[in-house]
Amino acid sequence: MDALHKRALSALSRVCGEVREGLPAEGVLGVVPAVVAAPRTVAEAAEVMRVAAELELAVVPRGGETRLEWGLPPERCDLLIDTTGLARVVEHAAGDLVVTVEAGVTLGRLAEVLAGAGQRLALDVPTPHSTVGGTVAAGAGGPSRLLHGSVRDLLIGVTMIRADGRIARSGGKVVKNVAGYDLGRLLAGSFGTLGLIVEASFRLHPLPGARAYVSGEFGDVAQAHRAAQRVLHSPHVPSAIEVDTEIGGAVRLCVLLEGVPEGVAARAEAVADLLGAGARIADAPPPWWGLYPDGTTLIELTGPPTALPRIAGTLQEHRAAETVLRGSAGAGIWHVGLGSAEPQAVAKLLADLRGMLAPLPGGAVVRYAPQAVREEIDLWGPIPALALMRRVKEQFDPGRRLSPGRFAGGI
């Protein structure tokens, strides 16, 4: 450990109860932190960030590590802040359908707390041990975004620690946002590059009295797409419409319906008719529901729902082995899981997907990939708002110390 990091270890130990040297296993995409701090309160987190600012340390947050391999490696990591100790449910105003929690609360624990009041946070992300802070920072969501929206839509307030160690609050019960910014929307999907998220407030939804999953199997993506469009434009108000296929094989479509038992039962029968012969109604989702597809490389695609057949056609043209396409046929967000593939082949596929999606408009972002693939591609692709994003970064983190280089354009 060099002199700077010894000073950091000593100074941080005076303001935080849990500070230690970083371990090789804690590396963020291979970048090993010099020091790890685990604050237990918001005030303690602010003191940690203040010391980091005084010593000009590069800071990277860590939650449940479920998406730590997403994005680019940080240019440096002097200090890794473990947020899992920030694990309080601050306030649950059940009558107002609002909850405020600290960043280290896992979505699984939050679901248990809310269920006791017959409520839920309608994010249904794939990993229940994901933390609230990490989920906001990654901008993650699940099947229910079709009806209930993304994390940006459900987030109504946020508390963050600025790069200089000051606490900033926005939304919720605060009337005016800090400096005129909607911090929640800025921080959602920011990968820790603008501030350390320590608390978040969400609007909630009641737990439905009943759920029905209506599933059908189709010979190709075009048939499944037409069925999804029939459901999407019907009066039956699906909460989610998800598709799953290994390219070249059968295509599975599943529709989630929620509400009162009698209404759900009738709507499920009507949706089964829309899907066609062989459609099945079940109380539980299929095994693949809401999960990212397996593979060495994960690509996230966005575009209008009508882009689905063209996406499948592009994947079919490349004939990549073990390619799985999965996601929302209604909201227009899909994930592609690639099996073992040559880096050059992945680069060509990615270029074709981006070229096809860009005019729709849409895009393709690589969430994770082996190092050999990373060296051949641009993970983020073209970012029209990059200049604006850089100006926001300059305002929030002029020293480029917060997760430097993790986001698009080296932000």
Side-chain angles (χ1 to χ4, degrees):
M1 179 175 283
D2 61 24
L4 171 62
H5 294 138
K6 286 180 180 178
R7 285 177 57 206
L9 190 65
S10 174
L12 288 165
S13 295
R14 290 194 289 270
V15 300
C16 182
E18 188 176 336
V19 179
R20 56 177 174 78
E21 291 187 43
L23 302 173
E26 295 177 299
V28 181
L29 290 168
V31 180
V32 179
V35 180
V36 176
R40 297 284 173 176
T41 66
V42 170
E44 198 174 34
E47 284 297 293
V48 167
M49 290 289 283
R50 179 187 61 77
V51 170
E54 290 176 353
L55 298 177
E56 298 184 350
L57 304 178
V59 178
V60 177
R62 179 184 69 188
E65 299 188 65
T66 55
R67 296 179 183 84
L68 205 59
E69 76 277 20
W70 286 22
L72 295 164
E75 294 169 8
R76 58 192 179 104
C77 183
D78 303 311
L79 172 62
L80 184 73
I81 297 184
D82 182 343
T83 64
T84 56
L86 300 170
R88 292 188 310 130
V89 176
V90 178
E91 181 184 7
H92 179 201
D96 296 327
L97 288 170
V98 171
V99 69
T100 300
V101 294
E102 291 184 335
V105 173
T106 65
L107 294 182
R109 178 173 171 243
L110 179 57
E112 292 175 358
V113 171
L114 298 177
Q119 296 175 354
R120 61 173 170 162
L121 175 60
L123 279 178
D124 55 22
V125 299
T127 48
H129 54 284
S130 295
T131 61
V132 164
T135 299
V136 173
S144 294
R145 62 188 144 210
L146 173 63
L147 183 62
H148 299 298
S150 67
V151 67
R152 280 186 174 91
D153 301 307
L154 297 172
L155 186 66
I156 60 173
V158 69
T159 300
M160 76 168 192
I161 312 297
R162 295 180 1 178
D164 59 7
R166 297 181 183 179
I167 298 173
R169 293 183 171 88
S170 173
K173 297 178 181 178
V174 178
V175 175
K176 185 176 180 180
N177 290 336
V178 175
Y181 286 110
D182 184 339
L183 285 184
R185 288 189 173 271
L186 284 176
L187 293 174
S190 66
F191 282 74
T193 58
L194 299 179
L196 176 67
I197 299 167
V198 289
E199 286 183 6
S201 298
F202 298 96
R203 64 183 178 93
L204 306 174
H205 291 84
L207 282 171
R211 290 189 179 95
Y213 296 86
V214 188
S215 301
E217 191 166 297
F218 302 85
D220 58 40
V221 169
Q223 293 177 17
H225 170 67
R226 288 192 292 271
Q229 289 292 300
R230 289 195 295 271
V231 176
L232 188 61
H233 296 290
S234 74
H236 305 305
V237 194
S239 295
I241 306 175
E242 296 286 298
V243 64
D244 172 69
T245 181
E246 184 168 338
I247 296 301
V251 183
R252 292 159 290 278
L253 190 71
C254 184
V255 178
L256 169 61
L257 301 164
E258 298 175 311
V260 298
E262 297 81 3
V264 166
R267 289 157 59 208
E269 292 290 346
V271 168
D273 288 340
L274 291 175
L275 295 190
R280 302 173 303 280
I281 301 172
D283 296 328
W288 52 267
W289 180 266
L291 301 178
Y292 298 128
D294 293 332
T296 61
T297 299
L298 181 70
I299 305 173
E300 184 172 288
L301 307 176
T302 56
T306 51
L308 179 58
R310 296 177 66 181
I311 290 171
T314 301
L315 295 173
Q316 181 68 45
E317 288 173 7
H318 283 260
R319 301 184 184 280
E322 301 172 354
T323 300
V324 176
L325 172 63
R326 182 179 298 161
S328 176
I333 301 177
W334 306 273
H335 290 91
V336 177
L338 301 179
S340 55
E342 292 296 322
Q344 294 82 1
V346 177
K348 180 63 169 64
L349 170 62
L350 190 60
D352 287 353
L353 286 169
R354 285 172 174 162
M356 180 269 294
L357 288 168
L360 297 180
V365 173
V366 176
R367 289 310 190 187
Y368 62 74
Q371 183 58 33
V373 172
R374 286 172 171 267
E375 292 172 357
E376 290 287 331
I377 64 172
D378 175 358
L379 259 65
W380 300 94
I383 307 291
L386 188 57
L388 174 60
M389 292 163 61
R390 284 181 171 147
R391 291 197 295 271
V392 172
K393 172 69 169 177
E394 173 65 22
Q395 175 131 3
F396 279 78
D397 180 25
R400 289 193 73 254
R401 295 186 302 98
L402 304 183
S403 301
R406 287 276 281 154
F407 201 28
I411 291 176

